[in-house]
Amino acid sequence: MSICIESESRFSSLGEAFYSKVRPEPLPDPYLVSLNTALAAKFGLHEHALAQQSLLEILSGNRLPEGAEPLAMLYAGHQFGHFVPQLGDGRALMLGDIRDENGKLWELQLKGAGITPYSRSGDGRAVLRSTIREYLCSEAMHGLGIPTTRALCITGSDEEVYREQIETAAVLVRMAPSHIRFGSFEVFYYRNQHDRLQQLADHLLAHHFAHLREGDRPYLAMFAEVVASTAQLIAQWQLVGFAHGVMNTDNMSMLGLTLDYGPYGFLDSYDPDYICNHSDHEGRYAFSKQPSIGQWNLTCLAQAMLPLFDAEPDTAVELAQDALNGYEPILVQAYADGMRAKLGLLEKRQEDHALVTDLLQKMQVNEVDYTRFFRALAEYMGEEGPVSCAAANEFVDREAFHAWAKDYTLRLAQENSQDEKRAMAMRRVNPKYVLRNYLAQTAIEKAMEKDFSEIDRLLQLLSLPFDEQPEHEHYAALPPDWSKRISVSCSS
Ligand code: AMP
Ligand code: MG
């Protein structure tokens, strides 16, 4: 049993203007750090197969599977608002396409497998710390039902890698139906290579938006779908309290997936100004900025795709603008619907917006834990219920909670809400477990001592974030004080 790479990958058939052929750099004496057995099984890979040295060697980049034509993708991107004309996979390479049990094709990438023509001054390596962060978060997001690239396994090595301190190298195996980014279009627009733009768009239409191919203006329709999927994605981030940290256009997926996990973070206490990336001095990618940054990034994409929308520039701009105008209403609607579900409300009412705003404002002032509060609110039984309810306990100023809860109780009464049914529905949308920074950090610190068990435990826990899992209750506790001192930056 081994990895079966398709004879020619969909992306490689675009031709070498779109990528560079590369060879992975061997990872000395690789060992398995973690295997995502649930995902592996979808590709017919079982744990005993990984015990075979040959597969371990493939997944660490030491040996090429048959048929693999490894390549690093070319792209550009707006980084922190500034256009960089050439980026590309600097420490990732794609081995090829592999087919899952349903016949669907996935791109298989090795992240950290050495230098590519796009590595600039980087070493092409990933450190164990950053691979664990990406591995756990990809799967945590998947568990939460949020579109994301997936992570199959981590292999590690004792090879030293220099960052702020000496760390060790690791390779993450990442998968997605496509890793094409907004920046993949930008590179050709700014090089004035409009035929390449069209080739890239045709590739996406053929393999990922086939339902749009026969319609009117397929490129525009595809853009409109990217607008919608991005709006939906960011609404989901906001609802679950996820901050991406580096929403550059080269980290934005054309398929609306969460892509390129770096200095991300989940909210502990509710703070709209939360900046998870230590290097983001201006707070460009602060939690509450994500919705508007999504729009800004889509505007960059629209600009790059203009030549595809219409031969007449004014018409192209007008069409792009119309499609872009779809973003805000979709995001606002998805967020409002999601918040209603988080509060266990079934009906839509005008006053819901004020109810949410008031709650979030009070949560901010009281530094209320975002995940714990919503989870606890499922148990709320109305103001007639026990005064010391779990949700009120999350507030330092319990009066602030009760002031809000008066309105909430009325609102529940208006739709004859039934406590038990509501509680069940709320537990399906308000996770009990999220990947708090300190949880990832604990797994990282143990892994540095060659104890990988915490990675597997978290992977398991976060695959079912809505389940009570009483044996793991402590993972839902408030974060310890030391967690505030964890600093995460772009360097990984
Ligand atoms: P990111 O924002 O982390 O996705 O990375 C931005 C760009 O820097 C991408 O083009 C990466 O491929 C590249 N990069 C990041 N780290 C390294 C590294 N260690 N070696 C080479 N390139 C890197
Ligand atoms: Mg990136």
Side-chain angles (χ1 to χ4, degrees), residues 156-211:
S157 163
D158 294 340
E159 183 180 74
E160 291 186 341
V161 176
Y162 299 88
R163 294 293 181 265
E164 275 121 34
Q165 70 270 30
I166 298 178
E167 301 191 44
T168 59
V171 170
L172 173 83
V173 179
R174 170 166 80 174
M175 305 175 93
S178 164
H179 290 85
I180 295 178
R181 302 135 194 274
F182 291 9
S184 311
F185 282 86
E186 290 180 284
V187 70
F188 297 118
Y189 174 75
Y190 287 95
R191 286 181 180 183
N192 226 348
Q193 296 176 329
H194 297 175
D195 50 334
R196 302 257 154 86
L197 278 182
Q198 186 170 346
Q199 260 182 286
L200 190 65
D202 285 339
H203 165 92
L204 278 170
L205 279 169
H207 300 293
H208 306 283
F209 297 85
H211 56 288

